Amino acid sequence: MTENGIGAAVRRKEDHRFITGQGQYTDDINRPNQLYAHIIRSPLPHARIRGIELKAALDMPGVVAVLTGKDMVDDGIGGLPCGWGVNNKDGSPMTEPGHPPLAADTVRYVGDQVAVVLADKRSIARDAAELVDIDYEELPAAASLSAASAEAAPAVWEEAPDNVCFDWEIGDAAATDEAFASAAHVSSIDIVNSRLIPNAIEPRVAIGEYDSGRDEYTLYTTSQNPHVIRMLMGAFVLSIPEHKLRIIAPDVGGGFGSKICHYAEEAIVTWASKRVNRPVKWTADRSESFMSDAHGRDHISHAELALSKDGDFLGLRVRTKANLGAYLSTFGPAVPTYLYATLLAGTYKTPAIYCEVKGMFTHSVPVDSYRGAGRPEACYLLERLVDRAARETGIDPLEIRRRNFIPRDGFPYQTPVLLEYDSGDYHACLDKCLELADYKGFEKRRAESAERGKLRGVGLSTYIEACGIAPSNVAGALGARAGLYESGTIRVNPTGSVTVLTGSHSHGQGHETTFAQLVTEALGVDFDNVDVVHGDTGKIPFGMGTYGSRSLAVGGMALMAALEKIKTKSRKIAAHLLEASEDDVEFVDGQLRVAGTDRTVSFGDVALAAYVPHNYPLDVLEPGLDETAFYDPKNWTFPAGCHICEVEIDPDTGVVEIDRFTAADDFGRIINPMIVEGQVHGGLTQGIGQALYEQCVYDDSGQLLTGSYMDYCMPKADNLPNFEVTTNTTLCTHNVLGVKGCGEAGTIGSTPAVINAVVDALSELGVNDVPIPATPERVWDAIRTAAHNRAVSA
Amino acid sequence: MYEFQYHRPASIDEAKKILADNDEAIILAGGMTMLPTMKLRLARPSDLVDLSAIDSLRGIRKDGKTIEIGAMTPHADVAGSSVVQSEIPALADLAGMIGDAQVRNRGTIGGSLSNSDPAADYPAAVLGLNAVIKTDTREIAADDFFKDLFETALGPNEIIQAVRFPKPKRAAYAKFPNPASRYAVVGVMIAETTDGIRAAVTGAGPCAFRATEIEAALAKDFSATALDGLTFDAGDLNDDLHASPEYRAHLVIVMAKRAVAAASV
Ligand SMILES: Cc1cc2nc3c(=O)[nH]c(=O)nc-3n(C[C@H](O)[C@H](O)[C@H](O)COP(=O)(O)OP(=O)(O)OC[C@H]3O[C@@H](n4cnc5c(N)ncnc54)[C@H](O)[C@@H]3O)c2cc1C
């Protein structure tokens, strides 16, 4: 290991600018002569727009224009596209209604965009917006899954009268039924996976700028994937060819999936900037973020597990309804299908699995990826069900898992639900986690808590996840409407410093550091002489962006491939300079050496020769040292691990306190352990947030009740214990570094560990389930109900 | 926000004049409620009358057996005051439980009481400790001050100048914070005063109120066990996302017991 190479806990390069307030976020950008946009949003969950009266607003000094959905229709603007098509059981395609950036005749959720006011000042735009008189004909609405699937529920779309977007299945139904027929025991569970609002610390911002001289557009936006936005917005919405459209996503303050989607506001400001021939800037306020950023999760499921008399899992059957919101967001349909049900095998060798998923339209914000995207839903369901099976059969929760784990020598392992796991050691992760958590000491701690009148419980989850959707042709066959490769460029500058261009995007993950470590390790170039550039379609050849923990496993591998090309070319140049055969030249610590001799040339001198090719094999080699590679992964990667949570519950109030939380994760090879630990901490916090605090609530009329931090409860620092985290590595077998990914694992494994602990603490009182989030009142209510039931049955 | 005029008068008289001259003028104290309300465009004052330059409104004075706190004194000053900590520790504790450090450095006792948020903490202190609210025109007993949801006995443009707290024999405050906002879902101040036992509840109803059944039980026996088996009627209690009336009723008793236990040590 070199000082700043692979495996070193190097401090993050980017933190200097972030900590000193010099980050450049989209809202920090201001363009000369820009206008401010205020989006007028529907206050109603469902209504027909009978008319819009603009005059009073247009008369206000400082107002330049007020544009509506009708203006968009007149300009031939297209709808926001959906990036993943899912088929019904009978092979027919899902119902795919349009998604106009500004609603022209009907609004379908509170927050739906209706019109945009453009003014010289933000405050004027807002004042004028109140003068726009919109005549709504209110219609009945159904914002929740239960409301939308009720009989005679109001339909979100005429073309889906029962609100079903798709009715999809995976797995072998007949084989699963057979497994259940032969089962000694069947455990079942009803799960509500609560709806979440991602809450990136930076609200969304978009600035559109049109250059009439060149007929070119630039969009500055808070995106995790600028090239994807260019493709979607250019090709489907605004009909702008790629060479005329530049997307810049500079420093981005957190995304968690919510900044993958192509949003209406991006199209609105870009389109409007040409209409008024001035730059147009829109910045969401926090209230807008709550009602317009794509939401996450929101499933209702029923699951059954068939077991043999010894506790072997024989079959798993799952029925899920997933809320898609009012419109199909960019990857909305993929999340509750291919990113969810394919993970239902978990870490277990269950031979037969069948899952059916109904994707439902509701009068609510579109639902899309949120950290983990589908995998937390699968893991939560499975790990709650496995714990319940353990309780019902009287088998220890550790034993039932160990018994059913895919064995160490069982890889590659083909699951019954599409995926083929390449590597893992679930026993080792479990053992390491138990050790670190002092699992053996639990009973003693439980007794100590009891002395203080508190109920202590321990819960675990042994999760799996899948990162870096791949390969592109397989994803395409499953409905992806894009490739899932990544590009990377290694640009060695004449004096030997390196500029890295990556199609991945960093919005908190620390790519500028991790990727620089790869370069330092490969070329021996000083860490400070490597800079990573991302987030600009005008600079980066191409990119699919960052989500699904893919940056290192896909983007990093593109860089590794480009580095390999650089090394090959460098050896050729060095061979010429050293008058040796190319085959004899080796790369050692930033030097190129003729093997077995002390004849060397430095990498810096090779770079200089490439750009000042006076002594250079010009007849056989191009000058320059700048290589690009595209990498399409052969398979997904499969991080896995074990999380153990210990809670203490105050039975008088129902308050759950997390006393200990331990994680042992297998992320494959680790490039920067400090960054990985940070990713785990953040992930755990979000998973704990879902377990105990966060919940998006719509009332029966379709109004969003949790529209601010007064009501939407984020996990706070004082809610969390000091996390104990460690790793246990098995290498990924199909990429050159053996890396897997670590961005989402914390979120995936932690929620069930917390709830299993809560249920464990309350089990002696007769409680066998507590919904998420396990708020104090819900826990108190579970205790009270169990006491009541005991009294009745006594 | 809508546009408004900003004033920072140096005296109460000047403040009163601006308020009298402008129908839609509003007092600004710490702004912790006022400013978010304006940002959300739920309030549209023509003029804001910032009291922060009126020095006489800020500070903590001990006067015999009472502590007088100026209306513009921020929560952090009360929480950190050695006088309050030694004379009425329950009051310092309560102030230290309000919001977060930023809120405690900006928010004031006068603003909190005038606003009478159903989930605010100070109303429980004022009512439980039998304080007197001094305005520019009169003195209002705590029992007469809180009227309803965001409604107090204050007249239009009446300015709170100070709050006078008599020193109790013993007192303690127990709070069950809302996990999201950290306001009180239920907060109970229990005090043994020269006039008897007082139990004031905030968070549970439309405004702070006294729980007479708790007071009666504690008058007989000032101990947590005296409240065993006592149930609180959920009938008129608040119902929202964070807690049902039944849960609030339950918490009233639990918090009362904790306050009694804390006051007894
Ligand atoms: C994030 C957050 C968390 C909070 N948590 C808590 C909590 O846990 N517990 C709690 O009790 N409170 C809490 N608060 C409220 C806060 O502590 C303040 O007490 C409250 O916002 C009002 O005080 P202020 O000084 O900021 O008043 P302002 O917001 O300036 O004014 C509030 C109202 O009172 C009027 N007013 C102000 N001063 C006077 C006066 N002297 N005479 C007459 N009228 C006056 C104003 O006109 C206005 O109508 C929280 C606030 C925030 C923002």
Side-chain angles (χ1 to χ4, degrees):
Chain A
M1 181 172 93
T2 57
E3 190 195 347
N4 293 314
I6 289 175
V10 186
R11 285 223 195 147
R12 303 198 330 163
K13 270 176 184 283
E14 45 273 81
D15 283 345
H16 171 72
R17 74 173 185 280
F18 293 148
I19 290 169
T20 56
Q22 298 177 90
Q24 272 286 310
Y25 296 90
T26 309
D27 194 50
D28 293 321
I29 297 168
N30 290 295
R31 305 300 301 161
N33 207 27
Q34 78 190 6
L35 293 172
Y36 294 83
H38 179 79
I39 309 277
I40 300 179
R41 298 179 182 280
S42 171
L44 299 173
H46 191 198
R48 223 179 321 276
I49 302 172
R50 277 195 291 236
I52 305 184
E53 183 48 60
L54 303 177
K55 183 154 187 329
L58 287 168
D59 285 349
M60 188 175 228
V63 173
V64 172
V66 185
L67 303 173
T68 66
K70 186 172 172 309
D71 296 315
M72 282 204 142
V73 172
D74 292 348
D75 280 2
I77 301 303
L80 304 174
C82 176
W84 198 300
V86 164
N87 288 341
N88 292 306
K89 288 174 181 164
D90 64 8
S92 61
M94 66 184 188
T95 303
E96 195 170 351
H99 188 179
L102 288 173
D105 49 41
T106 306
V107 290
R108 292 188 167 82
Y109 65 94
V110 170
D112 205 352
Q113 306 79 217
V114 179
V116 57
V117 182
L118 307 177
D120 290 328
K121 283 171 141 186
R122 213 177 157 194
S123 55
I124 296 176
R126 250 193 114 157
D127 285 345
E130 289 182 9
L131 301 180
V132 174
D133 189 11
I134 304 170
D135 181 10
Y136 291 109
E137 177 192 341
E138 188 164 2
L139 301 170
S144 68
L145 276 172
S146 55
S149 28
E151 217 174 304
V156 183
W157 295 98
E158 251 172 47
E159 50 268 58
D162 53 0
N163 289 320
V164 176
C165 170
F166 55 77
D167 183 6
W168 174 89
E169 65 181 348
I170 192 168
D172 186 334
T176 309
D177 287 346
E178 246 170 68
F180 276 83
S182 67
H185 179 81
V186 173
S187 286
S188 67
I189 195 164
D190 288 299
I191 293 272
V192 175
N193 200 293
S194 49
R195 184 179 178 110
L196 300 177
I197 303 179
N199 278 301
I201 199 162
E202 178 205 27
R204 289 187 297 117
V205 183
I207 309 169
E209 181 166 13
Y210 176 65
D211 177 342
S212 58
R214 294 174 181 273
D215 189 29
E216 284 176 3
Y217 299 79
T218 303
L219 169 68
Y220 303 85
T221 183
T222 46
S223 175
Q224 302 177 209
N225 30 241
H227 286 87
V228 175
I229 302 301
R230 186 179 67 172
M231 205 156 56
L232 296 175
M233 187 175 84
F236 295 93
V237 190
L238 301 182
S239 305
I240 304 169
E242 283 91 343
H243 68 296
K244 292 292 186 190
L245 176 58
R246 178 175 176 188
I247 313 284
I248 299 174
D251 287 331
V252 171
F256 312 116
S258 73
K259 291 173 182 169
I260 298 172
C261 325
H262 173 35
Y263 283 99
E265 294 86 356
E266 296 171 321
I268 293 169
V269 297
T270 308
W271 163 72
S273 73
K274 181 176 185 186
R275 293 248 334 190
V276 296
N277 204 15
R278 285 172 72 178
V280 173
K281 176 173 186 171
W282 168 78
T283 303
D285 61 27
R286 186 57 70 181
S287 308
E288 272 183 295
S289 304
F290 274 101
M291 65 169 96
S292 71
D293 290 1
H295 291 179
R297 320 265 193 265
D298 203 349
H299 288 194
I300 296 179
S301 299
H302 178 75
E304 300 160 283
L305 182 64
L307 297 106
S308 75
K309 69 174 192 336
D310 299 326
D312 297 316
F313 301 166
L314 304 177
L316 174 69
R317 203 156 47 195
V318 181
R319 214 167 52 230
T320 294
K321 271 186 194 162
N323 195 337
L324 301 171
Y327 301 90
L328 295 181
S329 181
T330 310
F331 288 110
V335 176
T337 52
Y338 290 105
L339 299 181
Y340 162 67
T342 52
L343 273 301
L344 286 171
T347 48
Y348 312 111
K349 51 184 199 282
T350 316
I353 299 177
Y354 176 70
C355 175
E356 44 193 342
V357 180
K358 268 190 188 156
M360 306 284 301
F361 293 116
T362 65
H363 291 104
S364 66
V365 177
V367 179
D368 207 316
S369 315
Y370 170 59
R371 202 169 189 172
R375 292 151 287 163
E377 293 90 316
C379 179
Y380 182 68
L381 177 140
L382 187 62
E383 290 300 299
R384 291 281 298 110
L385 181 56
V386 166
D387 243 42
R388 176 166 290 186
R391 262 176 218 293
E392 288 177 357
T393 56
I395 304 173
D396 182 89
L398 299 179
E399 172 53 27
I400 203 168
R401 287 176 166 87
R402 286 189 172 123
R403 193 177 181 91
N404 288 284
F405 275 160
I406 298 158
R408 287 189 178 97
D409 58 5
F411 297 94
Y413 176 78
Q414 176 63 54
T415 74
V417 276
L418 205 69
L419 300 176
E420 187 190 88
Y421 302 165
D422 63 329
S423 67
D425 186 343
Y426 310 138
H427 288 279
C429 270
L430 175 60
D431 292 342
K432 209 163 173 179
C433 202
L434 290 170
E435 174 81 33
L436 191 62
D438 183 28
Y439 192 80
K440 286 206 189 87
F442 169 73
E443 284 305 334
K444 188 159 165 273
R445 291 190 291 276
R446 194 204 286 262
E448 283 163 8
S449 297
E451 272 172 34
R452 284 180 285 111
K454 298 284 174 67
L455 301 165
R456 184 176 282 265
V458 66
L460 72 148
S461 81
T462 47
Y463 73 88
I464 187 138
E465 67 141 328
C467 302
I469 308 177
S472 287
N473 51 355
V474 172
L478 300 179
R481 293 167 177 169
L484 287 150
Y485 48 83
E486 194 48 274
S487 94
T489 297
I490 301 293
R491 179 171 295 160
V492 182
N493 301 307
T495 57
S497 69
V498 176
T499 303
V500 176
L501 309 178
T502 175
S504 292
H505 186 280
S506 184
H507 30 281
Q509 296 88 343
H511 294 3
E512 291 169 42
T513 303
T514 303
F515 289 170
Q517 288 180 256
L518 297 183
V519 175
T520 299
E521 179 82 25
L523 302 180
V525 175
D526 191 54
F527 181 70
D528 293 331
N529 280 333
V530 184
D531 253 2
V532 176
V533 178
H534 64 90
D536 185 345
T537 63
K539 292 180 180 167
I540 315 296
F542 203 76
M544 292 307 297
T546 285
Y547 37 83
S549 305
R550 70 194 296 274
S551 295
L552 183 60
V554 189
M557 292 314 107
L559 292 175
M560 291 302 288
L563 283 166
E564 208 41 55
K565 292 187 190 180
I566 293 282
K567 281 174 144 181
T568 303
K569 188 167 180 181
S570 301
R571 270 199 297 272
K572 290 193 165 99
I573 300 169
H576 174 89
L577 294 174
L578 296 167
E579 295 174 349
S581 152
E582 182 192 330
D583 296 339
D584 292 339
V585 176
E586 55 186 20
F587 228 107
V588 193
D589 296 337
Q591 303 281 323
L592 291 103
R593 181 172 69 191
V594 182
T597 73
D598 58 2
R599 283 160 57 212
T600 63
V601 56
S602 72
F603 179 67
D605 286 342
V606 167
L608 191 63
Y611 288 95
V612 187
H614 296 167
N615 177 16
Y616 195 85
L618 283 169
D619 46 342
V620 291
L621 206 59
E622 294 169 16
L625 200 52
D626 185 335
E627 298 287 350
T628 294
F630 280 66
Y631 173 80
D632 202 80
K634 295 180 200 67
N635 190 0
W636 311 57
T637 63
F638 298 98
C642 177
H643 290 179
I644 298 180
C645 176
E646 239 175 272
V647 299
E648 200 176 68
I649 296 177
D650 177 348
D652 291 337
T653 59
V655 169
V656 176
E657 195 178 311
I658 297 183
D659 186 48
R660 304 160 76 98
F661 200 104
T662 314
D665 301 295
D666 179 357
F667 298 139
R669 189 184 309 284
I670 288 178
I671 310 302
N672 185 323
M674 181 196 68
I675 288 181
V676 167
E677 200 174 320
Q679 288 290 310
V680 175
H681 283 206
L684 294 178
T685 302
Q686 279 172 305
I688 289 168
Q690 179 169 30
L692 297 181
Y693 306 106
E694 299 184 44
Q695 186 177 31
C696 169
V697 182
Y698 282 92
D699 72 9
D700 290 343
S701 75
Q703 289 293 333
L704 178 64
L705 293 185
T706 49
S708 84
Y709 293 127
M710 297 298 281
D711 293 313
Y712 189 89
C713 184
M714 297 296 285
K716 299 170 186 71
D718 64 356
N719 295 135
L720 304 168
N722 281 323
F723 298 124
E724 294 287 344
V725 306
T726 186
T727 53
N728 182 76
T729 300
T730 65
L731 295 179
C732 170
T733 61
H734 57 80
N735 63 47
V736 292
L737 282 179
V739 299
K740 295 184 178 180
C742 69
E744 294 160 294
T747 321
I748 294 164
S750 55
T751 313
V754 175
I755 298 301
N756 284 341
V758 170
V759 172
D760 180 54
L762 302 179
S763 61
E764 64 185 67
L765 306 177
V767 173
N768 74 350
D769 196 16
V770 178
I772 45 173
T775 59
E777 175 159 12
R778 283 175 167 179
V779 171
W780 170 75
D781 194 50
I783 294 172
R784 186 173 64 148
T785 307
H788 177 77
N789 292 345
R790 277 201 313 275
V792 169
S793 62
Chain B
M1 279 186 198
Y2 298 102
E3 281 198 359
F4 58 88
Q5 292 291 318
Y6 174 77
H7 310 267
R8 196 158 177 259
S11 70
I12 303 255
D13 289 346
E14 205 187 317
K16 293 291 279 187
K17 182 161 170 11
I18 303 166
L19 287 165
D21 290 349
N22 300 283
D23 270 359
E24 305 289 323
I26 285 189
I27 294 168
L28 179 70
M32 291 293 91
T33 293
M34 207 54 231
L35 296 184
T37 311
M38 289 168 66
K39 281 192 191 165
L40 290 168
R41 299 191 157 219
L42 298 172
R44 188 173 199 165
S46 60
D47 298 74
L48 276 189
V49 186
D50 182 349
L51 303 182
S52 62
I54 307 173
D55 292 340
S56 61
L57 290 180
R58 182 167 175 160
I60 298 166
R61 282 170 296 273
K62 182 173 176 221
D63 179 10
K65 288 231 165 249
T66 63
I67 301 274
E68 185 171 294
I69 301 177
M72 286 297 287
T73 310
H75 314 325
D77 286 11
V78 176
S81 155
S82 52
V83 175
V84 182
Q85 282 168 3
S86 69
E87 297 297 309
I88 317 180
L91 182 57
D93 289 348
L94 174 143
M97 292 181 208
I98 296 175
D100 49 51
Q102 289 93 328
V103 168
R104 288 194 292 276
N105 280 315
R106 292 287 314 168
T108 67
I109 189 168
S112 177
L113 295 177
S114 328
N115 199 44
S116 184
D117 188 301
D121 295 298
Y122 266 131
V126 166
L127 205 52
L129 297 169
N130 199 15
V132 172
I133 290 144
K134 247 174 74 177
T135 76
D136 57 316
T137 55
R138 57 183 168 144
E139 299 202 338
I140 308 172
D143 284 328
D144 302 327
F145 188 79
F146 302 103
K147 295 294 185 196
D148 206 341
L149 193 68
F150 298 108
E151 227 183 278
T152 67
L154 291 174
N157 297 342
E158 190 170 357
I159 298 179
I160 298 184
Q161 292 192 327
V163 187
R164 247 188 2 244
F165 290 92
K167 182 180 162 138
K169 290 186 188 152
R170 51 183 168 171
Y173 180 66
K175 171 177 181 174
F176 188 84
N178 176 326
S181 71
R182 303 281 169 101
Y183 272 87
V185 171
V186 167
V188 180
M189 174 68 87
I190 300 285
E192 187 180 347
T193 71
T194 45
D195 308 324
I197 305 290
R198 294 174 71 97
V201 178
T202 192
C207 65
F209 61 87
R210 285 174 61 186
T212 45
E213 46 285 68
I214 293 176
E215 292 178 356
L218 293 177
K220 285 194 213 120
D221 171 14
F222 193 85
S223 75
T225 47
L227 302 179
D228 280 348
L230 191 67
T231 54
F232 198 80
D233 181 16
D236 296 328
L237 301 189
N238 298 337
D239 188 5
D240 57 33
L241 263 185
H242 306 288
S244 65
E246 293 72 31
Y247 184 50
R248 281 191 161 90
H250 169 78
L251 288 176
V252 167
I253 301 294
V254 174
M255 291 301 120
K257 284 184 177 178
R258 289 185 183 179
V260 172
S264 308
V265 289

